């Protein structure tokens, strides 16, 4: 207390005491911040506007049928989005199912269990994964991963489940080439792990040590501490991290184009080739014209809507987590 | 002050040099298929004349759009424009080199050129109507060749490409059902099989998947030593897919009576003609705004016709027959500047 009074006295004496805030500077700062926020909205509106404008011929030609049709025929100018939309969602969900548990495991290990000397190298390796360009993942997936995956997973699994009621459909590969929706999901999982893991790790690191120590103090095991103290504390941020990963998985283009097999068909098997919105656009955009170009724009528009929908769901989840 | 003045002088000289080099720079954009040979030609041409070429391989569609918008000195396309379209946009079109598309296969124990197919069989395989290598129709054509009782995996280009356009143009010309159901385009709605990105994607997939069949440019088939199937041509023969067979296809074509040389080289008559052959094309304006630049473009291609054959052959492209080059020179006489003078001096 004395220290505080002393320093106030000192400040008074030296004349550096805080003067009344300048109104004009304050207003300038407020204006600048406001303008930055509006700029983002304007850019977003501009992007959406130009996509909708480009997609309009396709929407007015096919109407709601664009969403439910699985045709994609340039010769007859019939276009539909269903296989690409389902492929996009399926590959992204597979990526989450595989990637999220691994990411959470990495984060918990790094913050709670890892010996001090190993923490930095492991964390750096994870972050290095984020800096690998997606085309490299695509090429690695096609030339290295797919052949191994075909030999050691697809072919044995297909042989095993052939003829079984449900598994025989979902896990049977008619073309055992190693590429397909599941392969795309696995590659995407590898790509989102560094994002989800590093954000979760940072969040877990920021939880006050006192919380953890008191839990240990009353005799909790590590699992109990993670489950009942850390995860509830960081749940909002973890959901945010997962949503960021999902965003990347939904929009990833090059890597997926290489490993998904690029077939415009609906298939019940996750081993079969499919396509995503982004891979379809990447494949056809540079040669597209007329109604085909509009349909690709319309696909882009749908991807926009899907991403938006995902964000809304994330918001709702975060709100629920906060209440709980 | 002296070093500064010196630096300034050097800088000025460099700037002047740079502008003069820029003046002799021609720009083009379009098809990806001829990109390797265009860049080789450009390299050799710059060494000889000092004139540089900046070619962006952005795809045929992009090439057409850019020349229409006059943002480049020439456009390049694999699929020729129709005469009406050329007339409408005021463009002149001429071919540069040719290439062939070859069906490559991966069937255990079957060597290159041992399996014979007809165009109809190829269309049925890609339409999903013939599913197995042991199909009686294939067996009948290949007596003495042991083909497995296994599913065929057709592999196609997933990206929109001129190669697919050539291949589906061929399938449409030999199979009425294919023409009706899928047609010819840079991408079609493939009912079976799986797509690989680019020639290299198709090559990799065919190599990895047992019993697969794919189609690639002949250069890729050759460089990767892939086994290929022979295709019956219009004369009922099964030629080997080599330079001679591609040249034969070009020689039998009726270039003279096709405006814009927009001829389909697929399924040409002639005993030696390879049935899936095609040329790639250049587009320039008939009345260019910049006559000097347009003249430079024609000079470049004139040089390529005269001196580029060896470079093209090294990269497994096929040079045009001499009589076709003569016809192209005739066509160039129609390209005139605003003053009415031909931009290319003969």
């Amino acid at each position: 207390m004395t220290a505080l009074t002393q320093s106030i006295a000192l400040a008074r004496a030296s004349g550096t005491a805080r003067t009344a805030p300048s109104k004009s500077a304050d207003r300038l700062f407020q204006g600048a911040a406001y303008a930055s926020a509006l700029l983002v909205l304007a850019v977003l509106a501009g992007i959406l506007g130009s996509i909708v404008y480009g997609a309009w011929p396709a929407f007015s030609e096919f109407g709601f049928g664009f969403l439910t049709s699985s045709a994609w025929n340039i010769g007859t100018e019939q276009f539909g989005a269903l296989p690409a939309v389902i492929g996009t969602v399926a590959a992204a969900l597979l990526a989450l199912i595989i990637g999220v548990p691994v990411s959470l495991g990495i984060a918990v290990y790094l913050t709670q269990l890892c010996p001090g000397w190993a923490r930095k190298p492991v964390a750096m390796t994870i972050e290095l994964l984020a800096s690998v360009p997606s085309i490299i993942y695509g090429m690695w997936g096609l030339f290295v991963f797919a052949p191994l995956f075909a030999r050691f997973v697809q072919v044995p699994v297909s042989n095993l489940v052939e003829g079984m009621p449900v598994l025989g459909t979902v896990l049977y590969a008619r073309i055992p080439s190693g590429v397909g929706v599941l392969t795309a999901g696995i590659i995407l999982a590898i790509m989102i792990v560094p994002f989800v893991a590093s954000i979760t790790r940072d969040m877990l690191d920021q939880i006050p040590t006192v919380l953890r120590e008191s839990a240990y103090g009353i005799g909790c095991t590590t699992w109990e501490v993670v489950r009942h103290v850390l995860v509830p504390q960081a749940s909002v941020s973890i959901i945010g991290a997962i949503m960021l990963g999902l965003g990347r998985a939904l929009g990833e283009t090059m890597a997926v184009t290489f490993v998904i097999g690029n077939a415009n068909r609906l298939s019940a098997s996750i081993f079969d080739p499919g396509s995503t919105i982004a891979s379809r656009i990447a494949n056809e955009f540079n040669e597209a014209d007329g109604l085909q170009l509009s349909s690709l724009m319309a696909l882009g528009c749908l991807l926009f809507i899907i991403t938006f929908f995902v964000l809304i769901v994330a918001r709702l989840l975060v709100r629920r987590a906060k209440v709980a | 002050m002296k070093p500064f003045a010196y630096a300034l002088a050097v800088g000025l000289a460099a700037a002047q040099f740079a502008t003069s080099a820029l003046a002799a720079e021609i720009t083009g954009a379009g098809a990806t298929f001829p990109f390797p040979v265009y860049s080789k030609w450009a390299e050799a041409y710059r060494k000889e004349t000092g004139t540089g070429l900046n070619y962006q391989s952005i795809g045929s569609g992009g090439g057409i759009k850019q020349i229409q918008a006059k943002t480049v000195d020439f456009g390049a396309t694999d699929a020729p424009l129709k005469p009406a379209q050329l007339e409408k946009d005021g463009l002149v079109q001429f071919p540069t080199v040719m290439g062939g598309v070859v069906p490559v296969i991966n069937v255990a124990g079957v060597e290159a050129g041992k399996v014979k197919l007809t165009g109809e069989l190829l269309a049925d395989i890609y339409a999903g109507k013939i599913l197995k290598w042991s199909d009686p129709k294939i067996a009948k054509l290949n007596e003495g060749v042991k083909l497995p009782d296994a599913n065929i995996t057709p592999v196609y280009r997933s990206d929109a490409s001129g190669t697919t356009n050539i291949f589906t143009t061929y399938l449409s010309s030999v199979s009425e059902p294919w023409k009706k159901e899928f047609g010819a385009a840079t991408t079609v709605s493939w009912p079976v099989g799986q797509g690989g990105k680019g020639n290299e994607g198709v090559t990799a997939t065919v190599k990895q998947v047992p019993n697969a069949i794919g189609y690639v440019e002949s250069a890729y088939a050759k460089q990767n030593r892939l086994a290929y199937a022979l295709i019956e041509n219009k004369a009922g023969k099964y030629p080997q897919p080599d330079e001679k067979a591609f040249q034969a296809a070009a020689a039998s074509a009726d270039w003279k009576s096709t405006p814009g040389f927009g001829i389909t080289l697929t399924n040409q008559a002639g005993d030696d003609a390879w049935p899936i052959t095609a040329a790639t094309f250049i587009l320039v304006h008939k009345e260019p705004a910049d006559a000097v630049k347009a003249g430079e473009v024609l000079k470049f291609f004139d040089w390529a016709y005269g001196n580029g054959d060896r470079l093209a052959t090294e990269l497994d492209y096929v040079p045009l027959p001499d009589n076709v080059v003569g016809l192209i020179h005739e066509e160039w006489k129609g390209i005139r500047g605003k003053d009415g003078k031909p931009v290319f001096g003969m």
Side-chain angles (χ1 to χ4, degrees):
Chain A
M1 204 57 193
T2 43
L4 188 64
T5 358
Q6 248 170 15
S7 63
I8 289 173
L10 250 167
R12 281 213 179 113
S14 64
T16 53
R18 197 169 172 276
T19 47
S22 141
K23 270 256 163 72
S24 60
D26 211 25
R27 213 167 282 150
L28 196 71
F29 176 72
Q30 198 184 2
Y34 194 57
S36 315
L38 279 185
L39 185 68
V40 172
L41 279 185
V43 168
L44 205 66
I47 294 173
L48 193 60
S50 58
I51 293 180
V52 169
Y53 176 77
W56 195 250
F59 281 134
S60 60
E61 170 87 22
F62 304 117
F64 191 71
F66 184 70
L67 214 60
T68 53
S69 157
S70 59
W72 194 271
N73 199 330
I74 294 158
T76 58
E77 299 220 302
Q78 288 298 317
F79 300 102
L82 193 61
V85 170
I86 289 181
T88 307
V89 174
L93 283 182
L94 284 170
L96 283 196
I97 291 168
I98 302 162
V100 167
V102 176
S103 309
L104 297 186
I106 291 171
V108 168
Y109 174 75
L110 278 177
T111 52
Q112 313 301 322
L113 305 164
C114 184
W117 58 268
R119 208 169 277 188
K120 261 244 158 93
V122 175
M124 268 189 54
T125 316
I126 306 287
E127 267 153 36
L128 210 63
L129 278 179
S131 65
V132 176
S134 68
I135 184 107
I136 304 294
Y137 278 112
M139 289 168 78
W140 174 78
L142 178 64
F143 291 111
V144 181
F145 181 77
L148 295 174
F149 187 71
R151 212 165 118 205
F152 296 110
V153 181
Q154 257 190 358
V155 173
V157 170
S158 291
N159 288 343
L160 193 72
V161 300
E162 192 171 358
M164 285 189 194
V166 177
L167 286 180
T169 326
V170 179
L171 292 175
Y172 180 70
R174 250 166 300 173
I175 309 167
S177 61
V179 304
V181 177
L182 180 59
T183 313
I186 293 172
I187 299 287
L188 281 176
I190 300 172
M191 294 176 74
I192 65 170
V193 157
F195 290 91
V196 181
S198 352
I199 295 175
T200 312
R201 187 190 58 126
D202 284 349
M203 290 307 142
L204 292 182
D205 260 346
Q206 278 170 23
I207 293 171
T209 327
V210 61
L211 274 179
R212 214 165 49 204
E213 279 171 359
S214 33
Y216 280 120
I218 59 168
C220 289
T221 60
T222 307
W223 163 247
E224 282 166 341
V225 171
V226 169
R227 171 70 190 81
H228 296 293
V229 179
L230 299 183
V231 170
Q233 275 289 316
S235 59
V236 173
S237 321
I238 292 175
I239 291 171
I242 293 172
M243 288 302 151
L244 195 69
L246 180 58
R248 168 140 210 209
L250 283 172
E252 178 46 50
T253 308
M254 270 344 268
V256 172
T257 307
F258 270 81
V259 295
I260 201 163
N262 301 304
N264 183 50
R265 297 188 292 274
L266 287 172
S267 171
S269 168
I270 55 173
F271 279 144
D272 272 349
S275 62
T276 68
I277 290 175
S279 74
R280 174 75 49 79
I281 294 173
N283 274 325
E284 297 185 10
F285 192 75
N286 60 352
E287 297 271 349
D289 218 346
L291 203 54
Q292 187 193 2
L293 191 63
S294 301
S295 301
L296 290 175
M297 288 288 209
L299 279 182
C301 201
L302 285 179
L303 187 58
F304 215 89
I305 293 167
I306 292 171
T307 322
F308 203 69
F309 186 70
V310 164
L311 277 177
I312 290 171
V313 171
R315 286 261 153 227
L316 292 177
L317 280 177
V318 167
R319 195 184 291 168
R320 262 196 59 191
K322 266 188 185 150
V323 170
Chain B
M1 216 50 197
K2 249 196 170 170
F4 176 69
Y6 180 68
L8 192 70
V10 171
L12 276 177
Q16 207 141 35
F17 182 74
T19 28
S20 71
L22 269 178
E25 179 92 6
I26 38 183
T27 57
T32 46
F33 160 65
F35 174 66
V37 67
Y38 288 175
S39 50
K40 275 272 173 207
W41 281 347
E43 202 182 303
Y45 188 64
R46 188 200 280 274
K47 252 181 223 159
E48 240 177 81
T49 63
T51 305
L53 167 69
N54 176 10
Y55 182 72
Q56 304 285 332
S57 57
I58 55 170
S60 299
I64 295 168
K65 272 177 221 152
Q66 294 227 348
I67 189 70
Q68 282 168 348
K70 302 186 179 175
T71 48
V72 288
D73 300 325
F74 70 86
T77 172
D78 287 335
L81 293 184
K82 300 253 165 12
Q85 180 78 38
L86 291 170
E87 194 68 42
K88 200 180 121 230
D89 292 327
L91 294 173
V92 173
Q93 175 176 266
F94 55 89
T96 50
V97 281
M98 302 183 299
V101 175
V102 177
V104 291
I105 55 171
N106 174 6
V107 182
V110 176
E111 286 164 45
K114 290 289 180 239
V115 174
K116 291 177 183 169
L117 294 173
T118 62
E120 278 147 336
L121 284 179
L122 205 56
D124 283 353
I125 289 171
Y126 270 91
K129 288 175 189 154
I130 290 180
L131 295 171
K132 282 177 183 293
W133 280 109
S134 54
D135 191 279
K137 280 183 193 159
I138 302 179
K140 203 178 135 204
L141 208 63
N142 292 285
E143 275 169 31
V145 183
K146 210 175 151 318
L147 287 166
D149 182 29
N151 283 338
I152 305 175
T153 300
V155 183
Y156 50 84
R157 282 283 289 272
S158 64
D159 50 333
S161 83
T163 313
T164 299
N165 190 37
I166 296 165
F167 188 67
T168 50
T169 301
Y170 170 67
L171 293 184
S172 299
S173 70
V174 289
S175 162
E176 206 48 50
W178 181 275
K179 192 176 174 181
K180 256 194 148 143
E181 221 170 317
F182 307 104
T186 50
T187 54
V188 299
S189 195
W190 305 99
V192 286
Q194 99 182 29
K197 191 162 166 32
N199 276 297
E200 56 285 352
V202 173
T203 307
T205 310
V206 170
K207 270 184 173 171
Q208 276 165 28
V209 183
N211 306 307
I213 185 166
Y215 60 88
V216 291
E217 281 145 22
S218 62
Y220 279 86
K222 209 167 149 189
Q223 282 152 18
N224 290 290
R225 293 169 205 284
L226 296 172
Y228 51 83
L230 297 179
I231 307 289
E232 184 187 40
N233 66 14
K234 208 172 186 176
K237 300 273 194 322
Y238 292 87
Q240 288 288 331
D242 54 20
E243 192 182 325
K244 202 179 104 218
F246 304 143
Q247 285 259 14
S252 358
D254 184 12
W255 297 89
K256 215 165 191 165
S257 56
T258 317
F261 304 96
I263 199 167
T264 342
L265 294 180
T266 54
N267 211 25
Q268 287 291 338
D271 282 1
D272 295 327
W274 178 253
I276 324 178
T277 308
T280 183
F281 300 87
I282 294 296
L283 296 165
V284 290
H285 284 282
K286 197 167 190 148
E287 207 177 278
D290 186 343
V292 180
K293 272 279 173 69
E296 289 292 336
V297 171
L298 299 186
K299 254 195 245 164
F300 170 75
F301 284 108
D302 178 55
W303 175 91
Y305 290 134
N307 308 283
D309 286 4
R310 190 183 52 82
L311 284 174
T313 331
E314 269 173 17
L315 292 168
D316 294 300
Y317 291 90
V318 184
L320 292 173
D322 285 341
N323 63 327
V324 180
V325 174
L327 291 172
I328 293 167
H329 276 131
E330 280 300 309
E331 184 87 2
W332 283 357
K333 285 180 184 159
I335 304 173
R336 286 160 196 274
K338 292 238 152 51
D339 54 1
K341 276 191 198 146
V343 297
F344 183 72
M346 292 287 162

